[in-house]
C-alpha cells in the first residue's frame, strides 16, 4: 500500500513563505517600530502599499501570504501571535482602518491603501496606551499570549459600539447598543483566553471605556 | 509558626502587584519561543510526516523524493539518531517509530529553508504502511485486555463488611472524556549548536531538565553538553511537562546534523493530533451508605485511557486513586486502577493530574445517589466531610479539615444560598420549560509530587556590587505568575524593594536537576529555594552590618532597602552595605536549595503521607436549563478558596478564576471526538481545531462570578505561609456539572436521579432532561443499580503488577509523578 507523501489530514499550505518574495536590503527588518518606513519588493508580484503603525510600507508577496505571516515572519513584528491560523481563536487580531480583523485570514493583497495597526502601534512599554494600562491594572491576562489580540479587538469593539453596530445580544438592530457587560462579552467572544482571565479583561475594557467617557 | 512560613514586617509577599512581565505582555514585547525564530539567522524549519493510520507497520520509508523538492535540506529518520531513538523517560516512545501507534504519529521530519519547503518535502516522502488492528476506545482496550504499566491497588478497612451492614447500596459505571490543553502557544523548540559543540535549545517546556535529559540521550551526549532555556510559555497546563521533549530532540538533532539553527513549531492541527491530552477514564463503582447518608464503603475500579505510551499515566492514575475520596470520610475503601493501552495520542499531565478524574467519580456518585437517598445534595455532601482525626484511604491524616466546613459556611452565607434555593424552587414551580438549580461541591487537593524525590528545587541569587539583585530558579513561567511570586519572595527575604530584584530566564545551566513546574508546586518548591539562597546572603551581610552599626548581628534588620537595628535608629542603604561587603571579600551570591520535609510514600502499597498539606475550596454554581435544547446558562458562581496566606493575591485570584473556567470547559463544553468507525480514518481525532473543539469563551463565563480567598489561612509548612493554587480550583467546577444534573432532574418528579454524561454539553443535558421526563437512558450511559450485587468492579488478575514506577527502580532515570 503506497501512500506517498500523504499526510494525516488535508492541510492548508503552510503559513510563512518568505522565499517567494524579495526583501529590500539584506534580510529581515529588525525591530520595526511606529514611524519606520519600510519597502519590501518582489520581482514577480505587484506591490501593495499601505500604512503600518503610522508609516508607509510597500510589499510584494505571493498572493497567499497572510497579514499575520507578513508581520511575524517578514517584518519582525512578533507582538501579533499565531494561535490557530484558521480564524477561530482571535489571538492574531489587528486593526485595519480601525476595524478589527484576523491577521491569519487577511491576505496582504487586501491591504492596498489601508491603514494597519498592530499591538506595536498601539503603545510601547515606555508609552502605553490607556487601554494597555488598564489591562495591567485589572490583571487582564495570565500567559499573555492572547493579550495583543484582546487589546486590538477591544479597541475595534469599542469603535463598533460607538458606530452603533448591533450584536447578537442587541435588543434591536436599529437601536444604539449599550455597553453593558453582556454586550462586551458577546462582542469579545471571538477572542479566546485559555487561561480564563476573562474577568480581568472585561474589567480592563470597562475601566478604559469609563475613563475615556465612552460608551458605558 | 515555622521559620519557613513566618513573614517579616512589611513583606513584599502578599502585596497585590501586577505580573512581572505585565508591560511586555500588553505591548506585545514579551517573547515566546517562536518569536525568537525571526531573530535567528539562517534558521531551518521542521515539518513532520504524519501517518494516516491508527496502527500500522512501516514497511518502507524513502525520504529521497523529498530531497528533490526545492528548499528541502534534509530528512531526519531513525538512522540519524546517534544516541537512543526515544522521546520519553520510560523508553517506550520511539522518536522515529517503525510501528505507527496512533493516527497522525510522526514517522520522520523534513527540514527546509522555509516551512513551506519542509511541508512540500513531507508530502514527497514515500512511506508504505501495513495497517494493523487497532484499539481506539477504552472499552475496546478493556475487552482486549490491553493494559500498560502497573496496576495500583488502594485499600482500607473491610470492604465486604462495609457493604454487608449498609442500609443503601448502589452501583454503576461512568465513562468520562479527557481534555485538550489548547495552550494558545503550540509546542515550539529552537535549537542551535555553538562553536564548541554545545547544544542550546530554547523550548516551550515546563520541564527544562527533562527536555535536556531527552535531548542528551537522543544525541548520545552527556547532560552538560545540552542547555535548555525557557523564556516563558503561552500556557502549559501540564501539556508541556512531558510532551516537548521529543520536539526539542528533533530540533537539536537537525541542528547537529546541519550545523544550522532549527525551528520546530507545531501548527494547531499537528499539536492537537500529535500531543497528549488529559486522560479520559472509565469507572466501575459500588457504594454503601448508612441510613443517615453517611458513606460506609466504596469499591471502584478506574481504567484510564493512556493512549499509546506510558508517559505520565502511572502517576496520573496514582493521583486519581489518591483523590477519589475528595473531601469525604469513607471508612472502607478498595480502589483498583489500570491503564488502558489504546491507539491514541499519549495521554499526559493536565492541570490536576488525575485528581480531577478521581474526584469526579465520587462527586458523580453523590450526585446520582442523593435523590435516591432522599437527602439534599448540599446536606449529603457536608454530612460526609472529613473531621479532625480522620485519615485518607492511603493513610495520611487530614490536617485542617475544618477549612472545608469554613469555606462551605462562607459560601452558604455570602452566596445567600438559602434564599436563592427558595427563589429557584419558586422559579421552577412557575416555569414548565426552563429549570434552575444550585449545587455546591468541595475540593480537597493534596499538594506535593506524589513521588517524594521530585519535591526539591534550586535557585541562584546574585547580588551585584551596586546592590541590584538577579535571581534565577528552576521553575518555568506559563502565565501562572510564578516569576512574580519569586521576585516577591526574594525582595521579602532580602528586605529590599521589588524594583531592586530582577529575574533571569529559566535555564538548565543556571539551576540544574530541576523538577517539572507542575503539581501546583512551583511556588512552594522554588520559593523555598529562593528564600534559602537569599537567607545565606543575608546571614553574611548581617555580620558586615553588625560591625558597621555596632550592634549584635541578631539585632540587624533588613527592610525596604535599608539596613538598621531592630527597634529603630540609624540605617545604612542596602547598596552601601553590599558595596562594603564586596570590599570585605564577602560572597554576594548563593545557590539555594529546598526539599519538602516530612513526606513519605510507598507507591506499591499506595500508602503513606505523600502530601505536605491539602488545599481546600468550595464553589456554589447556579444554572438554568432549557427543556427543548438542553442549552444552559451559568447564572452565578460563588467561590471561597484556600491559598494559605497569599503570596500574590492578584495572581491567586486569577488562578482561581482561570482554573474554574478551565474545569468548567472540561466538564461542560470540551468534547474530544475520535473516529471510532471502521473506515480508513479510524483513530483520527475529529476535533482537531478550535472550530470543532469548543473552548470556554467570554460567553460561557458565569454571569455573576464572586471569588474570595479564605482569610486567616496561614500554612505553617510552606513558604511565607502560602499554599499552592494552580490546580485545586479547577475542581471547583464540579459544582457546575452537579447543578446541571439537578436542573435536568427538576424536569422530572421530585427525587428523580439522572445520569449525566461528561462533558455535559447541551446535547448531554438534553438527554438527561429526557431521562428525567421518563425517557430512555441517555446515550452511552449505564443506569445506576440499587442493591447488591449490581455492578461489581473488575478485580486485578493475579499477574497484575503493582504500581511500581521505574523511577523508583534505581537504575532507571524516570519520574513517578505529580
Amino acid at each position: 500500500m503506497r501512500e506517498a507523501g500523504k499526510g494525516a489530514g488535508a492541510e492548508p499550505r503552510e503559513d510563512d513563505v518568505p522565499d517567494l518574495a524579495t526583501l529590500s536590503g539584506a534580510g529581515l527588518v529588525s525591530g520595526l517600530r511606529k514611524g519606520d518606513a519600510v519597502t519590501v519588493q518582489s520581482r514577480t508580484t505587484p506591490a501593495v502599499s499601505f500604512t503600518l503603525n503610522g508609516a508607509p510600507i510597500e510589499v510584494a508577496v505571493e498572493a497567499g501570504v497572510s497579514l499575520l505571516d507578513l508581520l511575524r515572519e517578514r517584518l519582525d513584528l512578533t507582538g501579533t501571535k499565531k494561535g490557530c491560523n484558521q480564524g477561530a481563536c482571535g489571538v492574531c487580531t489587528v486593526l485595519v482602518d480601525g476595524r478589527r480583523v484576523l491577521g491569519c485570514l487577511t491576505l496582504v493583497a487586501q491591504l492596498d491603501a489601508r491603514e494597519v495597526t498592530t499591538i506595536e502601534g498601539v503603545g510601547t512599554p515606555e508609552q502605553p496606551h490607556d487601554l494597555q494600562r488598564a489591562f495591567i491594572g485589572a490583571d487582564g491576562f495570565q500567559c499573555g499570549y492572547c493579550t495583543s489580540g484582546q487589546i486590538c479587538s477591544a479597541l475595534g469593539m469599542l469603535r463598533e459600539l460607538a458606530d452603533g453596530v448591533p450584536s447578537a445580544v442587541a435588543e434591536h438592530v436599529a437601536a444604539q447598543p449599550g455597553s453593558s457587560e453582556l454586550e462586551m462579552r458577546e462582542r469579545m467572544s471571538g477572542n479566546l483566553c485559555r487561561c480564563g482571565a476573562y474577568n480581568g479583561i472585561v474589567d480592563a475594557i470597562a475601566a478604559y471605556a469609563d475613563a475615556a467617557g465612552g460608551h458605558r | 509558626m515555622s521559620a519557613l512560613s513566618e513573614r517579616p514586617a512589611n513583606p513584599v509577599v502578599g502585596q497585590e502587584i501586577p505580573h512581572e512581565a505585565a508591560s511586555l505582555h500588553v505591548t506585545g514585547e514579551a517573547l515566546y519561543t517562536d518569536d525568537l525564530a525571526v531573530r535567528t539567522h539562517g534558521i531551518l524549519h521542521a515539518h513532520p510526516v504524519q501517518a494516516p493510520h491508527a496502527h500500522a507497520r512501516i514497511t518502507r520509508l524513502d525520504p529521497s523524493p523529498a530531497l528533490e523538492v526545492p528548499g528541502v535540506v534534509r530528512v531526519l529518520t531513525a538512522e540519524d539518531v546517534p544516541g537512543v531513538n526515544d522521546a520519553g523517560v520510560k523508553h517506550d516512545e520511539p522518536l522515529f517509530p517503525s510501528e505507527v501507534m496512533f493516527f497522525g504519529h510522526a514517522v520522520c521530519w523534513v527540514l527546509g529553508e522555509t516551512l513551506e519547503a519542509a511541508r512540500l518535502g513531507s508530502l514527497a516522502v514515500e512511506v508504505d504502511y501495513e495497517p494493523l488492528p487497532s484499539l481506539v476506545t477504552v472499552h475496546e482496550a478493556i475487552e482486549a485486555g490491553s493494559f500498560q504499566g502497573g496496576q495500583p491497588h488502594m485499600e482500607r478497612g473491610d470492604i465486604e463488611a462495609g457493604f454487608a451492614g449498609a442500609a443503601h447500596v448502589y452501583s454503576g459505571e461512568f465513562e468520562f472524556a479527557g481534555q485538550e490543553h489548547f495552550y494558545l502557544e503550540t509546542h515550539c523548540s529552537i535549537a542551535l549548536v555553538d562553536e564548541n559543540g554545545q547544544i542550546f535549545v530554547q523550548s516551550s517546556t515546563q520541564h527544562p531538565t527533562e527536555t535536556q535529559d531527552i535531548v542528551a540521550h537522543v544525541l548520545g551526549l552527556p547532560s552538560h553538553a545540552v542547555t535548555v532555556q525557557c523564556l516563558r510559555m503561552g500556557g502549559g497546563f501540564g501539556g508541556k511537562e512531558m510532551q516537548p521533549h521529543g520536539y526539542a530532540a528533533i530540533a537539536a538533532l537537525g541542528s547537529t546534523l546541519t550545523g544550522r539553527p532549527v525551528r520546530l513549531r507545531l501548527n494547531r492541527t499537528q499539536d492537537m493530533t500529535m500531543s497528549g491530552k488529559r486522560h479520559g477514564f472509565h469507572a466501575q463503582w459500588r457504594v454503601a451508605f448508612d441510613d443517615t447518608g453517611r458513606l460506609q464503603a466504596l469499591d471502584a475500579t478506574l481504567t484510564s485511557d493512556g493512549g499509546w505510551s506510558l508517559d505520565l499515566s502511572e502517576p496520573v492514575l496514582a493521583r486519581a486513586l489518591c483523590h477519589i475520596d475528595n473531601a469525604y470520610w469513607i471508612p472502607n475503601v478498595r480502589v483498583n486502577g489500570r491503564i488502558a493501552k489504546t491507539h491514541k495520542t499519549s495521554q499526559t499531565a493536565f492541570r490536576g493530574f488525575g485528581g480531577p478524574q478521581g474526584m469526579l467519580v465520587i462527586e458523580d456518585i453523590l450526585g446520582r445517589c442523593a435523590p435516591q437517598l432522599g437527602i439534599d445534595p448540599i446536606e449529603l455532601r457536608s454530612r460526609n466531610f472529613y473531621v479532625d482525626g480522620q485519615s485518607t484511604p492511603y493513610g495520611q491524616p487530614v490536617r485542617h479539615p475544618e477549612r472545608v466546613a469554613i469555606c462551605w459556611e462562607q459560601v452558604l452565607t455570602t452566596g445567600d444560598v438559602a434564599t436563592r434555593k427558595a427563589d429557584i424552587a419558586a422559579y421552577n414551580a412557575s416555569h414548565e420549560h426552563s429549570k434552575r438549580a444550585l449545587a455546591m461541591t468541595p475540593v480537597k487537593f493534596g499538594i506535593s509530587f506524589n513521588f517524594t524525590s521530585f519535591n526539591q528545587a534550586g535557585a541562584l541569587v546574585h547580588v551585584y556590587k551596586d546592590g541590584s539583585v538577579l535571581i534565577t530558579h528552576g521553575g518555568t513561567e506559563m502565565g501562572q505568575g510564578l516569576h512574580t511570586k519569586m521576585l516577591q519572595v526574594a525582595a521579602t527575604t532580602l528586605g529590599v524593594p521589588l524594583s531592586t530584584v530582577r529575574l533571569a530566564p529559566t535555564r538548565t545551566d543556571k539551576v540544574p536537576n530541576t523538577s517539572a513546574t507542575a503539581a501546583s508546586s512551583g511556588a512552594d518548591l522554588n520559593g523555598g529555594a529562593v528564600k534559602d539562597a537569599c537567607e545565606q546572603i543575608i546571614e553574611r551581610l548581617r555580620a558586615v552590618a553588625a560591625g558597621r552599626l555596632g550592634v549584635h548581628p541578631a539585632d540587624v534588620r533588613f527592610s525596604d532597602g535599608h539596613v538598621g537595628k531592630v527597634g529603630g535608629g540609624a540605617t545604612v542603604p542596602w547598596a552601601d552595605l553590599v558595596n562594603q561587603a564586596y570590599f570585605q571579600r564577602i560572597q554576594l551570591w548563593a545557590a539555594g536549595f529546598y526539599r519538602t520535609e516530612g513526606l513519605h510514600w510507598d507507591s506499591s502499597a499506595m500508602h503513606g503521607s505523600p502530601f505536605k498539606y491539602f488545599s481546600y475550596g468550595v464553589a456554589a454554581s447556579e444554572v438554568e436549563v432549557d427543556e427543548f435544547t438542553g442549552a444552559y446558562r451559568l447564572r452565578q458562581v460563588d467561590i471561597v478558596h484556600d491559598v494559605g496566606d497569599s503570596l500574590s493575591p492578584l495572581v491567586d485570584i486569577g488562578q482561581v478564576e482561570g482554573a474554574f473556567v478551565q474545569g468548567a470547559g472540561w466538564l461542560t463544553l470540551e468534547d474530544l471526538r475520535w473516529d471510532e468507525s471502521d473506515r480508513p480514518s479510524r483513530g483520527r481525532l475529529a476535533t482537531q481545531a478550535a472550530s470543532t473543539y469548543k473552548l470556554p469563551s467570554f460567553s460561557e463565563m458565569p454571569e455573576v462570578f464572586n471569588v474570595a480567598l479564605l482569610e486567616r489561612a496561614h500554612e505553617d509548612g510552606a513558604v511565607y505561609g502560602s499554599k499552592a493554587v494552580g490546580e485545586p480550583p479547577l475542581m471547583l467546577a464540579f459544582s457546575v456539572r452537579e447543578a446541571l444534573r439537578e436542573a435536568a432532574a427538576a424536569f422530572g418528579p421530585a427525587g428523580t436521579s439522572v445520569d449525566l454524561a461528561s462533558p455535559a454539553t447541551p446535547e448531554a443535558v438534553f438527554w438527561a432532561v429526557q431521562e428525567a421526563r421518563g425517557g430512555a437512558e441517555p446515550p452511552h450511559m449505564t443506569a445506576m443499580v440499587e442493591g447488591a450485587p449490581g455492578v461489581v468492579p473488575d478485580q486485578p488478575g493475579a499477574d497484575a503488577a503493582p504500581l511500581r514506577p521505574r523511577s523508583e527502580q534505581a537504575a532507571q532515570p524516570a519520574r513517578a509523578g505529580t
Side-chain angles (χ1 to χ4, degrees):
Chain A
M1 182 171 177
R2 167 78 49 92
E3 291 168 57
K6 196 163 153 216
E11 291 175 43
R13 61 171 290 114
E14 265 310 342
D15 19 60
D16 42 343
V17 284
D19 55 321
L20 295 170
T22 313
L23 289 166
S24 71
L28 298 158
V29 186
S30 237
L32 192 75
R33 291 290 175 271
K34 193 171 184 172
D36 293 347
V38 172
T39 305
V40 179
Q41 293 178 335
S42 165
R43 287 181 290 265
T44 55
T45 51
V48 179
S49 298
F50 58 97
T51 305
L52 178 59
N53 295 332
I57 181 169
E58 186 175 304
V59 299
V61 292
E62 197 219 28
V65 176
S66 69
L67 171 56
L68 174 60
D69 285 326
L70 176 77
L71 294 170
R72 286 188 59 80
E73 307 290 334
R74 309 285 303 280
L75 301 178
D76 193 11
L77 290 174
T78 51
T80 307
K81 306 301 179 190
K82 183 179 284 190
C84 71
N85 210 35
Q86 59 156 233
C89 73
V91 161
C92 62
T93 307
V94 297
L95 297 166
V96 174
D97 293 342
R99 301 190 183 278
R100 49 187 174 163
V101 303
L102 297 169
C104 69
L105 297 185
T106 304
L107 298 175
V108 175
Q110 295 171 275
L111 296 175
D112 203 37
R114 314 291 287 275
E115 198 169 301
V116 178
T117 305
T118 68
I119 191 69
E120 290 89 349
V122 173
T124 63
E126 297 72 34
Q127 286 186 302
H129 187 280
D130 284 345
L131 180 59
Q132 291 171 316
R133 288 185 207 275
F135 265 72
I136 296 173
D139 200 32
F141 57 87
Q142 285 178 26
C143 81
Y145 202 79
C146 72
T147 309
S148 50
Q150 300 282 1
I151 289 171
C152 288
S153 185
L155 289 171
M157 182 272 287
L158 291 170
R159 177 167 161 180
E160 288 162 24
L161 269 181
D163 291 349
V165 179
S167 76
V169 297
E171 286 187 6
H172 192 282
V173 290
Q176 174 65 36
S179 59
S180 65
E181 201 166 285
L182 182 65
E183 274 283 356
M184 288 208 286
R185 287 185 190 195
E186 166 62 22
R187 288 166 188 272
M188 291 297 293
S189 62
N191 287 80
L192 298 176
C193 170
R194 186 47 156 166
C195 301
Y198 293 125
N199 276 3
I201 297 170
V202 170
D203 290 349
I205 299 170
Y208 165 73
D210 282 346
H215 301 267
R216 269 174 71 76
Chain B
M1 199 175 281
S2 68
L4 180 64
S5 70
E6 187 178 355
R7 294 184 177 190
N10 308 318
V12 179
V13 292
Q15 292 180 12
E16 288 198 9
I17 60 163
H19 189 280
E20 42 91 28
S23 71
L24 302 181
H25 283 317
V26 302
T27 53
E29 298 286 329
L31 294 179
Y32 301 80
T33 305
D34 193 50
D35 299 333
L36 305 168
V38 76
R39 295 165 167 80
T40 307
H41 180 69
I43 200 162
L44 295 174
H45 306 260
H47 195 285
V49 175
Q50 289 185 266
H53 298 284
H55 189 202
R57 189 172 294 114
I58 298 170
T59 55
R60 191 179 72 95
L61 192 155
D62 181 8
S64 55
L67 300 173
E68 307 296 315
V69 174
V72 169
V73 172
R74 179 141 189 166
V75 180
L76 303 177
T77 67
E79 286 73 50
D80 294 316
V81 177
V84 183
N85 178 21
D86 194 90
V89 294
K90 306 278 182 183
H91 291 264
D92 65 346
E93 294 184 52
L95 186 59
F96 299 96
S98 56
E99 184 178 345
V100 172
M101 294 299 285
F102 64 97
F103 197 103
H105 202 161
V107 300
C108 66
W109 292 78
V110 180
L111 303 181
E113 296 284 354
T114 66
L115 189 52
E116 179 66 0
R119 184 186 74 88
L120 294 172
S122 75
L123 294 174
V125 173
E126 292 183 4
V127 189
D128 292 350
Y129 300 97
E130 178 193 337
L132 299 169
S134 58
L135 302 168
V136 172
T137 69
V138 69
H139 285 287
E140 290 169 355
I142 291 172
E143 217 161 273
S146 173
F147 301 108
Q148 56 187 333
Q151 302 198 358
H153 171 86
M154 180 177 77
E155 188 159 355
R156 171 178 62 194
D158 183 335
I159 192 74
E160 294 310 333
F163 280 98
H168 304 279
V169 173
Y170 304 99
S171 60
E173 288 184 55
F174 180 33
E175 187 179 348
F176 49 93
Q179 185 178 23
E180 163 64 33
H181 301 85
F182 216 105
Y183 25 65
L184 283 172
E185 177 213 24
T186 53
H187 278 287
C188 188
S189 282
I190 292 175
L192 46 89
V193 185
D194 77 4
E195 86 291 347
N196 197 26
Q198 181 80 12
I199 316 291
F200 182 54
V201 183
Q202 304 243 35
S203 176
S204 289
T205 176
Q206 289 175 242
H207 199 344
T209 285
E210 203 167 78
T211 302
Q212 176 193 28
D213 293 345
I214 301 295
V215 168
H217 88 212
V218 167
L219 297 181
L221 295 172
S223 289
H224 70 198
V226 178
T227 303
V228 175
Q229 171 169 300
C230 178
L231 290 180
R232 60 170 58 79
M233 284 165 278
F237 316 119
K240 293 170 181 170
E241 179 172 354
M242 179 69 96
Q243 304 291 302
H245 311 330
Y247 308 126
I250 294 288
L253 178 65
S255 188
T256 56
L257 293 173
T258 63
R260 291 172 62 179
V262 172
R263 164 211 208 184
L264 190 163
R265 175 195 178 274
L266 298 183
N267 66 30
R268 181 59 61 184
T269 304
Q270 289 161 354
D271 198 299
M272 291 188 79
T273 55
M274 288 164 68
S275 71
K277 314 182 190 314
R278 185 189 295 283
H279 295 71
F281 270 57
H282 172 266
Q284 301 160 317
W285 55 268
R286 57 183 183 129
V287 68
F289 296 91
D290 71 8
D291 55 6
T292 63
R294 288 184 201 282
L295 286 158
Q296 296 302 299
L298 173 67
D299 184 11
T301 294
L302 309 183
T303 309
S304 74
D305 185 349
W308 74 282
S309 73
L310 259 184
D311 203 300
L312 292 165
S313 293
E314 286 179 322
V316 164
L317 183 60
R319 185 166 276 269
L321 264 61
C322 288
H323 285 79
I324 198 165
D325 57 327
N326 192 6
Y328 311 112
W329 163 246
I330 314 171
N332 305 291
V333 179
R334 177 175 67 192
V335 188
N336 285 288
R338 56 191 180 179
I339 302 159
K341 186 179 174 86
T342 56
H343 296 100
K344 283 180 176 156
T345 53
S346 178
Q347 311 320 21
T348 191
F350 195 138
R351 205 173 195 169
F353 202 81
Q357 289 97 320
M359 286 160 63
L360 180 53
V361 173
I362 190 69
E363 292 302 339
D364 182 70
I365 289 172
L366 294 175
R368 287 201 207 188
C369 293
Q372 305 278 4
L373 292 165
I375 302 173
D376 183 275
I378 289 179
E379 174 58 28
L380 179 63
R381 287 189 164 86
S382 60
R383 199 173 283 180
N384 281 288
F385 286 161
Y386 278 111
V387 296
D388 228 1
Q390 293 173 333
S391 297
T392 63
Y394 47 91
Q396 174 156 2
V398 179
R399 197 161 55 86
H400 292 157
E402 73 283 359
R403 289 198 184 178
V404 174
I406 293 169
C407 292
W408 195 262
E409 285 304 316
Q410 191 174 330
V411 168
L412 281 169
T413 305
T414 59
D416 205 6
V417 170
T419 307
R420 285 165 59 209
K421 292 272 277 187
D423 293 346
I424 287 167
Y427 178 90
N428 289 349
S430 61
H431 291 74
E432 188 184 352
H433 303 301
S434 167
K435 302 291 180 192
R436 292 177 180 171
L438 184 155
M440 287 173 62
T441 55
V443 169
K444 169 188 126 287
F445 192 81
I447 299 298
S448 295
F449 288 91
N450 258 72
F451 181 47
T452 302
S453 295
F454 293 134
N455 295 292
Q456 58 169 310
L460 191 58
V461 174
H462 295 172
V463 176
Y464 292 97
K465 286 178 291 183
D466 65 354
S468 64
V469 180
L470 185 70
I471 69 170
T472 317
H473 61 91
T476 54
E477 175 67 34
M478 56 195 113
Q480 84 280 42
L482 176 60
H483 284 351
T484 310
K485 288 182 173 179
M486 295 304 96
L487 288 165
Q488 289 177 278
V489 167
T492 299
T493 312
L494 295 173
V496 297
L498 197 60
S499 58
T500 304
V501 188
R502 191 178 172 93
L503 185 141
T506 311
R507 294 171 58 119
T508 56
D509 59 357
K510 285 276 188 69
V511 180
N513 310 329
T514 56
S515 292
T517 307
S520 306
S521 67
D524 278 11
L525 297 179
N526 295 291
V530 169
K531 186 166 185 284
D532 174 49
C534 292
E535 282 171 347
Q536 294 174 43
I537 296 166
I538 284 292
E539 284 315 305
R540 295 178 205 138
L541 288 174
R542 192 180 290 282
V544 179
R548 174 148 174 182
L549 295 167
V551 301
H552 190 275
D555 291 336
V556 176
R557 180 165 173 264
F558 296 78
S559 179
D560 199 28
H562 297 279
V563 185
K565 182 175 178 295
V566 173
T571 63
V572 181
W574 160 264
D576 289 3
L577 182 74
V578 165
N579 194 254
Q580 182 182 348
Y582 167 76
F583 285 104
Q584 291 182 13
R585 296 187 292 176
I586 300 299
Q587 185 187 346
L588 289 172
W589 76 94
F593 184 73
Y594 176 77
R595 62 170 169 250
T596 315
E597 300 295 344
L599 309 179
H600 57 95
W601 179 241
D602 177 347
S603 65
S604 298
M606 290 295 287
H607 197 269
S609 284
F611 305 124
K612 184 67 180 174
Y613 55 83
F614 295 101
S615 284
Y616 300 104
V618 168
S621 295
E622 181 184 339
V623 301
E624 180 180 311
V625 168
D626 174 65
E627 179 186 14
F628 302 113
T629 62
Y632 47 79
R633 295 163 53 200
L634 183 49
R635 288 170 45 80
Q636 182 168 335
V637 173
D638 294 88
I639 289 171
V640 175
H641 196 78
D642 168 21
V643 299
D645 289 340
S646 175
L647 288 178
S648 201
L650 213 53
V651 167
D652 285 346
I653 293 274
Q655 285 295 297
V656 174
E657 290 176 354
F660 176 87
V661 169
Q662 205 163 56
W666 171 49
L667 294 167
T668 68
L669 296 171
E670 300 179 34
D671 198 358
L672 284 170
R673 298 287 181 100
W674 307 77
D675 190 334
E676 297 171 7
S677 75
D678 287 325
R679 291 187 293 270
S681 54
R682 177 176 166 78
R684 178 178 175 271
L685 179 64
T687 47
Q688 46 181 258
S691 53
T692 45
Y693 185 74
K694 171 65 182 152
L695 298 158
S697 76
F698 284 93
S699 309
E700 284 74 40
M701 286 294 286
E703 291 166 22
V704 178
F705 197 2
N706 301 314
V707 176
L709 303 179
L710 182 68
E711 291 178 6
R712 294 180 296 283
H714 185 84
E715 170 54 48
D716 203 40
V719 62
Y720 289 129
S722 65
K723 277 190 178 183
V725 70
E727 297 169 288
L730 181 132
M731 288 147 272
L732 295 168
F734 293 133
S735 57
V736 182
R737 183 168 185 276
E738 291 307 312
L740 290 169
R741 181 203 305 282
E742 291 174 35
F747 288 99
T752 297
S753 170
V754 300
D755 305 303
L756 181 61
S758 186
T761 58
E763 180 184 348
V765 173
F766 170 82
W767 288 115
V769 170
Q770 300 312 304
E771 185 193 23
R773 295 174 70 243
E777 189 72 17
H780 313 298
M781 295 294 291
T782 314
M784 187 169 78
V785 182
E786 183 163 6
V791 175
V792 180
D794 295 346
Q795 295 302 306
D799 58 339
L803 191 64
R804 187 146 180 77
R806 291 183 199 183
S807 49
E808 294 186 349
Q809 298 165 16
Q812 197 78 35
R815 53 160 303 160
T818 52

